[in-house]
Amino acid sequence: MSGVHLPFSGKVALVTGAAGNIGLATAKRLATMGADLALLDLDQAKLEQARAGLDGHDVRITIHTCDVTDSAQVKQCVDTVVSELGQIDFLFNNAGYQGAFAPVQDYPDADFARVLQINVCGAFHVLKHVGGHMVTRGFGRIVNTASMAGVQGPPNMAAYGASKFAMVGLTEVAAKDLAPYNIRVNAISPAFMGPGFMWDRQVELQAKAGSQYFSTNPEEVARQMIGSIPMRRYGNIDEIPGVVAFLLSDDSSYMTGVNLPISGGI
Ligand code: NAD
C-alpha cells in the first residue's frame, strides 16, 4: 500500500476512548483511509491490544495512556502527539462512561460527579488543548461523541443524559469559537448500538432499575428498546465510523455545530 494516496493520507487523527468499541472501530476506518493515528485511553494493556488490532495498516500509530479528567495530563499528551506525529488534524473526542442507572431521587452523588467529570470536563479538556493546537495551525476537524441521551432525556440516566446534553451544547459553542480558525466542530449521537459492552450493560441495568419504563427481565428490556426504534433493530458499531469520517472529510465542508443522530429513526 506504500505510496498509494488515500483520502486521509498526510492527516493525523487523535482518537480518545480508542480502546473501546466505537473508538477502535473508528480508528480502523480512519487508518483504512490513510490517517496516522494517536490512540488515547485509560488502560495501557487495552491500548496495546487496540494497536495490535490495527496491524497491517500502512500508517503511523502511537498510543497514549491518559485520563481525560486531568487537564494537565491531556495537555502533556497533546504535546507528545504533536512532537511524535507532527500535528493533529482530526480529533474524535469520544471517551465516555455511562454511569449508574437509578431514578433521579436515588441517583448516587459520586457517580453523577464521575460521569460529568469524564463526559463533560474530560471532553472539554481534550477540546481545549487540541483546539489550541489547531488554532495555531489554522486547520482542524473535530467530532464529539454525544448520544441520543443528549437529545431526549432517557429514564434512570440523570448523569449520562445531563452529560450528553452538555456535549451537544459544548459542540455548538466550540463550533462558533473555532470557526474563525478554519476548525469545524460537529457531534454524532448514536442511540442503541450493539452488540457491545454498553448495550449489554444498559439492558441489564435498566432491568435492575425496576422503573415503569422497562421490564425487570433484561431480554424483555432488549425487545422493548428495539421496539422503540423505527428501524426495529439496534445499530451496529460499524455503522458509526463512516459518519465520523464524513464529518472529518471535505464532504461536510459547510457543516459545523451540527449534531447528527445515528439512531435508526428515533
Ligand atoms: P466503551 O466503554 O467500549 O469505550 C469507552 C472508552 O472510553 C473505554 O475504552 C474507556 O477506557 C475510555 N474512557 C473512559 N473514561 C476515560 C477517561 N477518564 N480517560 C480516558 N479514557 C476513558 O464504550 P463505547 O460504546 O465505545 O462508547 C464510546 C462513546 O460513545 C462514549 O462517549 C459513549 O458515551 C458514546 N455512546 C455509546 C453508545 C453505545 O450504545 N455504545 C451510544 C451512544 C453514545
Side-chain angles (χ1 to χ4, degrees), residues 16-24 40-43 46 64-70 92-98 114 117-119 122 145-149 160 163-164 167 188-199 202 235 237 240 262:
T16 76
N21 288 295
I22 294 173
L24 181 56
L40 181 158
D41 209 298
L42 271 180
D43 187 301
K46 277 174 67 184
H64 307 270
T65 309
C66 174
D67 183 342
V68 296
T69 65
D70 181 337
F92 184 37
N93 195 9
N94 166 74
Y97 169 58
Q98 229 173 12
R114 180 83 187 133
Q117 269 299 320
I118 297 171
N119 295 4
T145 305
S147 168
M148 283 306 283
Y160 191 74
S163 76
K164 294 301 186 177
M167 187 62 134
I188 55 164
S189 277
F192 296 119
M193 310 305 295
F197 172 69
M198 281 210 178
W199 170 259
Q202 76 189 345
I237 296 291
I240 295 176
I262 306 174

Side-chain angles (χ1 to χ4, degrees), residues 57-73:
H57 293 283
D58 189 19
V59 297
R60 295 179 296 163
I61 300 172
T62 58
I63 58 175
H64 307 270
T65 309
C66 174
D67 183 342
V68 296
T69 65
D70 181 337
S71 185
Q73 257 188 57

